[in-house]
Amino acid sequence: MTAVPPARHLTRAKDLIDARYFEPLDVASLARVARLSPAHFSREFRREFGESPHHYLLTRRMERAAALLRNTDRSVADICFMVGFTSVGSFTTTFGRTYGQTPLAYRAAHPPASRNISVPTCVLQAYARPRSSTFGEDAAARPA
């Protein structure tokens, strides 16, 4: 039986953060996934990925929050809770440290989300069809 490289266990924890960034994740639960003690997990995670598990989690949350601010019209509070924060104040502070501006200023610096909405071609074609036809066969089919 061959030993599994420790980096593979760390990648499992990293993948968990990527998939469940919106859930309350702590170092102890991530360490369990990696099958390491919390202290050893934190050291090895930083050595392997260049940042602490907590900082990596915050980065994922901030990336998702920025995308939601650019692409939706949801309120800042909704986005705060959607990405896993429990306090709008801590969310705003963390967002400001990450992006150098408040969430509302960030949203204002980008085009409105309504510009990014794409309507499927089939819907556009159906909407653009004439309401009534001027063809003779349609008039013959209608009861007088």
Side-chain angles (χ1 to χ4, degrees), residues 66 69-70 76 91-92 95-96 99-111:
L69 286 165
R70 285 189 314 269
V76 172
F91 169 73
T92 302
F95 194 91
Y99 290 97
Q101 54 190 331
T102 66
L104 289 177
Y106 182 86
R107 175 177 274 164
H110 293 83

Side-chain angles (χ1 to χ4, degrees), residues 31-42:
R32 276 193 301 279
V33 170
R35 298 179 182 165
L36 299 170
S37 71
H40 187 61
F41 168 74
S42 291

